[in-house]
Amino acid sequence: MKKKINIYVIFMIAAFFMGTMFPFAYSGVDTGLDQLKILVDVMGKIQDNFVEEKDAKDLVVGALYGMASQLDEFSEYISVEDMKAMREETKGEFGGVGMRLNSSKQGELIVVTPLPESPAYKAGVEPKDKVIKIDGRPVSEMKSDEAVAALRGEVGTKVKVELERKDEKTGKTSIKKVTLKRTKIIPEVVFSKMLEGDIGYIYVTDFSGHTVEGFEKAMQTLQDKGMKALIVDLRFNPGGLLDSAVNMSKLFIGDNKLIVYTKGRKEEFFKEYKSNPKAKYADIPMALLVNEGSASGSEIVAGALQDHKRAVLIGSRTFGKGSVQQVISLPDTSGLRITVAKYYTPLGRMIHKNFKAKNADETGGIVPDIVVPFEPAKARAATFYTTNLIYSPSKKTAEPEQAKAADPVLERAVELLKAREVLGNLNVKEDAKAK
């Protein structure tokens, strides 16, 4: 039996190396086969001696997770299920019921908000509802990602959801059972409103396949309302698709200028991304808000706009996630995400932070032109209020508890853009007097 297991294991691991790692690393590993033999021997010992019987395939998968995790913070082995979910997320649409959820701890899945006009919204699901069962299975018995996956599925199929709701006045709880028909969900990633002084405000939550489309619609709406200046908020935006971030930068930067470039160990990973000859919004006065939660695509946009002096950056140093991961599909439809290059701003600043350095918080990332310290928890509450991210069918909880929370970063941006207009008018008057 052990011999069969060893042959199976050797085949799987060798196939993994030869089929996926060879183009990147295998040529540099002189003793690869010797190390594989040690790995096989260890797995054999586990099979023979561990207190519980372990499946060889599970052990191989565990080894793959461990191998990838040793590379850096962002390389990883991706399971079949996670690969499927990742494809749905990056497309920016999927079959689901339309609930933005938060897993506060094991066994609790809380509704942050139903998405407007989604199946959940139409069924009367409210913010703060607790999802306790999905198709009869208690959420307490599932991992959070497993529960979320259970709510998703093929468009047109149905899922039964049991919710627990607490009355804020009496403290009593009630159970609400709904059957939701899954539909194609395109999550909102762009939120806009007009602020005082004809200043447009656009908050972008991530860079998905629909981000630029939504951004341009928001810009048109604000322009129709007479927008004279713009604030783009990328706080807590973790990134997403590279093309989406580059295309957003192109809206503000023209003249075929460099937006970002990548550089890796191999020449094939040196790539430059440039703007178009003309930018759609080349002249509008602009401020960009960033913080510790702004990463990857957000940092590409921030670095490009700052280097080309197209916008003033306000907030705090960004996260520093400036590495390029390539996702390699494996024969069983699982995958490997591996770092192959790093991002650099047009002026050659490396975005990626040295996470292992003692002063890691002082390396990498994008440092704003105007630093305004703001505690992340308070910043998130303020952002929720400004963008009205919470939706309630009954309108009882349409605004978060931290309504009207102060936002010194946003306030500074508004003051700056107002001052710019005033100073511009003063210059015009002085020129008139001189003539």
Side-chain angles (χ1 to χ4, degrees):
M1 179 66 180
K2 179 179 176 181
K3 184 176 180 181
K4 290 183 179 180
I5 292 173
N6 285 350
I7 291 173
Y8 170 76
V9 171
I10 291 172
F11 173 78
M12 284 192 66
I13 298 177
F16 173 78
F17 267 91
M18 296 300 291
T20 65
M21 293 296 289
F22 181 80
F24 303 100
Y26 191 78
S27 60
V29 183
D30 298 332
T31 59
L33 293 177
D34 290 337
Q35 297 302 316
L36 288 179
K37 184 178 183 302
I38 294 173
L39 179 58
V40 171
D41 287 343
V42 169
M43 295 180 71
K45 298 294 185 185
I46 294 173
Q47 288 281 333
D48 289 343
N49 301 294
F50 188 66
V51 66
E52 297 173 2
E53 186 175 345
K54 289 294 179 180
D55 183 82
K57 184 177 180 180
D58 291 338
L59 293 176
V60 171
V61 170
L64 297 180
Y65 275 114
M67 187 190 313
S69 68
Q70 291 298 309
L71 300 176
D72 62 11
E73 299 84 0
F74 303 104
S75 296
E76 62 176 339
Y77 171 75
I78 309 171
S79 68
V80 174
E81 295 76 15
D82 287 344
M83 277 287 283
K84 181 179 178 182
M86 183 184 68
R87 292 189 186 100
E88 292 175 344
E89 290 289 352
T90 53
K91 279 195 307 182
E93 58 186 58
F94 50 86
V97 297
M99 290 190 288
R100 189 177 293 124
L101 300 163
N102 177 48
S103 178
S104 58
K105 60 183 180 179
Q106 183 67 28
E108 283 195 352
L109 202 62
I110 311 298
V111 177
V112 176
T113 180
L115 300 179
E117 302 309 312
S118 67
Y121 185 92
K122 293 176 180 179
V125 175
E126 290 280 353
K128 300 182 183 179
D129 282 352
K130 182 190 297 185
V131 181
I132 56 176
K133 287 185 180 181
I134 302 174
D135 279 334
R137 185 181 173 189
V139 171
S140 59
E141 298 177 0
M142 308 183 199
K143 295 180 180 179
S144 59
D145 56 351
E146 185 182 2
V148 171
L151 290 170
R152 294 183 179 183
E154 187 177 346
V155 172
T157 59
K158 295 181 179 181
V159 58
K160 295 180 180 179
V161 181
E162 192 169 315
L163 304 155
E164 181 182 280
R165 181 174 299 172
K166 184 177 180 180
D167 189 298
E168 297 293 336
K169 293 182 179 179
T170 64
K172 295 182 178 180
T173 59
S174 59
I175 300 298
K176 180 179 178 64
K177 297 180 180 180
V178 294
T179 298
L180 305 175
K181 186 177 182 179
R182 298 182 180 96
T183 186
K184 184 170 77 172
I185 300 295
I186 303 177
E188 288 182 293
V189 294
V190 177
F191 303 84
S192 64
K193 66 188 301 183
M194 187 70 82
L195 304 177
E196 57 180 306
D198 295 325
I199 298 173
Y201 171 86
I202 301 180
Y203 180 58
V204 182
T205 63
D206 64 45
F207 290 100
S208 71
H210 295 277
T211 298
V212 175
E213 174 189 350
F215 190 89
E216 291 195 77
K217 287 181 180 179
M219 285 292 291
Q220 185 61 57
T221 299
L222 292 171
Q223 287 178 325
D224 291 343
K225 293 180 179 179
M227 174 177 60
K228 296 179 180 178
L230 173 67
I231 296 173
V232 176
D233 195 343
L234 297 183
R235 290 177 292 178
F236 303 107
N237 183 322
L241 298 177
L242 171 62
D243 287 347
S244 183
V246 170
N247 288 335
M248 178 171 287
S249 301
K250 289 180 180 180
L251 296 176
F252 301 100
I253 301 171
D255 300 323
N256 299 306
K257 292 179 179 178
L258 184 63
I259 291 174
V260 67
Y261 68 92
T262 63
K263 185 169 62 175
R265 186 159 57 92
K266 291 190 172 184
E267 186 177 348
E268 65 188 274
F269 296 122
F270 179 83
K271 296 182 180 180
E272 293 184 335
Y273 299 83
K274 294 185 177 182
S275 66
N276 297 322
K278 292 185 179 181
K280 191 171 183 178
Y281 312 112
D283 302 320
I284 187 167
M286 182 179 176
L288 188 73
L289 311 186
V290 294
N291 71 350
E292 302 90 335
S294 306
S296 191
S298 297
E299 296 174 290
I300 289 172
V301 175
L305 295 180
Q306 187 180 54
D307 279 6
H308 291 302
K309 301 186 184 304
R310 179 59 189 87
V312 59
L313 269 59
I314 304 175
S316 51
R317 185 192 290 264
T318 60
F319 182 75
K321 199 284 184 183
S323 57
V324 183
Q325 280 73 47
Q326 184 177 75
V327 177
I328 305 166
S329 295
L330 303 180
D332 66 345
T333 70
S334 63
L336 175 69
R337 180 185 282 114
I338 185 171
T339 301
V340 295
K342 293 181 179 178
Y343 290 116
Y344 295 80
T345 72
L347 295 181
R349 294 181 292 162
M350 186 172 73
I351 295 173
H352 200 66
K353 176 168 65 177
N354 183 358
F355 288 88
K356 296 181 180 179
K358 292 182 179 180
N359 62 335
D361 291 338
E362 299 176 9
T363 66
I366 303 296
V367 179
D369 302 300
I370 300 175
V371 176
V372 181
F374 194 22
E375 185 182 330
K378 293 182 180 179
R380 187 176 289 279
T383 303
F384 264 57
Y385 170 70
T386 302
T387 54
N388 295 320
L389 288 173
I390 306 299
Y391 300 94
S392 167
S394 66
K395 308 302 180 184
K396 292 180 180 179
T397 54
E399 291 184 353
E401 295 176 354
Q402 302 89 345
K404 299 183 180 179
D407 189 342
V409 179
L410 179 59
E411 291 169 4
R412 181 68 65 86
V414 171
E415 290 173 0
L416 185 70
L417 292 173
K418 280 184 176 179
R420 186 185 185 284
E421 183 177 359
V422 171
L423 291 173
N425 290 335
L426 287 176
N427 288 336
V428 170
K429 292 177 181 178
E430 290 298 326
D431 289 342
K433 288 180 180 179
K435 293 178 180 179

